[in-house]
Every structure is written in C-alpha cells, then in structure tokens.
Amino acid sequence: MKLILLGPPGSGKGTLAEKLETKFHLTSISAGEVLREEVNKKTTLGKVIKKYIDRGHLVPDEFITQLILLEIKDKKNYILDGFPRTVEQAKAIAGLHLHTVIYLEIPLTAVVERLAGRMVCGKGTHNYHIIYLPPKKSGICDKDGSKLVQRKDDTPTIVKERFRVYTQKTAPVIKYYQQKGILKTVDASAAPKTVFAEALKILKR
Ligand code: AMP
C-alpha cells in the first residue's frame, strides 16, 4: 500500500504517519526528515538545503524528488509524509500506483498554536506538543530518550512564511489529487486519536 499525507505545517502528518506505520507495517518516509538528515551530514547539498529550510522555503523540486525516489526505490509499501508539496513533484511520481492521498484539513489559525508548542526529539523524528501531546517525562523523547527541542523553522516569522508557501505551492496539489479521484479529507483539528480513527475508516473502506 502506498499512501500520501498532505496538509499544512502542523496539521499532524508526522503524528498520523507514526500511527499508520505501526498499524499497517508500512515504512514512513518524511520528506522533511530526509532533508534534515542531509543537512546533518553537512554535505555540499546539505548546506544548500539548510538555507531553504531555515527560511521556510521549499527545497527545489529536483533535489527533493531525487532524494525521495532513492528512498522508495526498493519499497512497495510506504507512507510519504510531506511529499509531494508541489504539482511538479506530484507529476514526478505519477507512475506510482498510489492507494490513497489523505488530506489533513485544518484552518491555518489552528496550526499556529500547535506549532508554537511543538517539540521534536533530538533526531527530529518524534513529535510532541507541550499541551496536546506531552511526553511522559518532561523534555525527554518517550521513544529514544533524547532531549526535546523546538525546530528552528517553527518560530513565528518562519512559520508565517511556510504558510505562505503552502498556500501558493502545496494547495494546488490537493486539487491535483482530487481530480485523480484518490483524495480523502480528514478533519485534522480533532485530537490525534480521532484523526487516526478517521484515517482507518478511510483505509478500510
Ligand atoms: P517538514 O518537516 O515536513 O515540516 O518540512 C520541513 C521543511 O523541509 C519545509 O519547510 C521545507 O523547507 C522542506 N521540505 C519538506 N518537504 C519538502 C518538499 N516535498 N519539497 C520541498 N521542500 C520540502
């Protein structure tokens, strides 16, 4: 099964991906995480990528598309979280037989509060929220024991820019998949477990 999770920053893509990964034994591939790994390696490409991420801009289509194609090369079952984010990227994977694209719909005003309280583990893999999804032990990741931090691109100015880019570049991807008849919408303003239950209903239909 090949799934795509679409939605604005803070809509809960990463949280839902983690739950679906466990439930369906899928590999979850987060585009943001793939890029952050490249940044952490401090490669020439990583240094270029960092500039885009730090400004809240999208990394050029050809960079991210190559990295994602490499990730999915030998895999049959996966969830793509945060890819595609442009119609160009969507066209680049048009040959894949996608099962469903889940669109996490949420008003932008609601995600501002979520991002302000979001914390991620040291590896940038596991997401928490100081109020809505707190870790068992304050400031520590439940899963890998690393110290929780705020992402540099979750600061108010950069978040604003990420929203602008989302509206301009990613919103058209929703229409693209709607026209293909594989887009299913979930109300992402609900609690994570409700969002997960709704996603399950969709996938079991
Ligand atoms: P995320 O972890 O999904 O919030 O992504 C963090 C940042 O990585 C984004 O703000 C972009 O700068 C970059 N990024 C993630 N996915 C993509 C993508 N599909 N295309 C271009 N840039 C991306």
Side-chain angles (χ1 to χ4, degrees):
M1 178 155 67
K2 298 179 175 67
L3 299 178
I4 285 186
L5 301 185
L6 258 184
S11 56
K13 298 186 293 295
T15 304
L16 179 61
E18 267 187 53
K19 291 179 190 286
L20 292 175
E21 183 174 35
T22 313
K23 175 80 185 173
F24 294 105
H25 306 289
L26 303 169
T27 308
S28 155
I29 301 163
S30 151
E33 209 179 313
V34 168
L35 291 167
R36 283 187 290 274
E37 271 169 22
E38 200 60 37
V39 170
N40 291 340
K41 282 192 229 156
K42 296 195 164 60
T43 55
T44 311
L45 177 62
K47 284 178 193 160
V48 177
I49 288 174
K50 185 174 186 306
K51 289 192 184 143
Y52 289 97
I53 295 182
D54 285 355
R55 288 186 194 130
H57 293 165
L58 291 184
V59 167
D61 289 333
E62 56 277 18
F63 292 2
I64 180 66
T65 302
Q66 285 309 316
L67 290 168
I68 293 292
L69 289 178
L70 263 179
E71 290 283 331
I72 61 175
K73 199 169 63 153
D74 302 316
K75 299 188 179 80
K76 283 207 177 88
N77 299 303
Y78 48 79
I79 311 165
L80 291 179
D81 152 15
F83 184 92
R85 264 175 155 114
T86 67
V87 172
E88 281 313 305
Q89 292 174 16
K91 286 182 179 164
I93 56 161
L96 301 178
H97 297 286
L98 297 173
H99 183 283
T100 305
V101 176
I102 297 181
Y103 165 42
L104 296 175
E105 189 178 40
I106 185 164
L108 293 187
T109 44
V111 290
V112 173
E113 193 191 354
R114 282 195 184 179
L115 290 177
R118 176 158 82 173
M119 303 292 281
V120 294
C121 71
K123 289 186 188 160
T125 310
H126 307 113
N127 291 313
Y128 298 88
H129 189 279
I130 45 175
I131 298 164
Y132 306 117
L133 199 61
K136 290 188 186 112
K137 195 172 163 198
S138 171
I140 303 291
C141 177
D142 295 346
K143 302 200 172 113
D144 62 28
S146 66
K147 210 172 147 207
L148 302 182
V149 292
Q150 188 186 36
R151 268 172 48 175
K152 208 174 158 188
D153 59 343
D154 274 349
T155 53
T157 321
I158 303 300
V159 163
K160 212 169 143 203
E161 183 59 11
R162 287 165 64 202
F163 286 162
R164 192 192 63 75
V165 170
Y166 172 81
T167 309
Q168 188 189 37
K169 304 246 174 91
T170 310
V173 181
I174 299 164
K175 216 176 226 165
Y176 175 89
Y177 284 123
Q178 228 159 18
Q179 282 164 355
K180 298 220 171 286
I182 54 169
L183 188 99
K184 304 281 182 220
T185 303
V186 169
D187 173 10
S189 48
K193 68 174 185 208
T194 311
V195 172
F196 179 49
E198 287 304 309
L200 286 187
K201 269 194 225 162
I202 288 170
L203 296 173
K204 284 181 175 168
R205 248 176 234 155

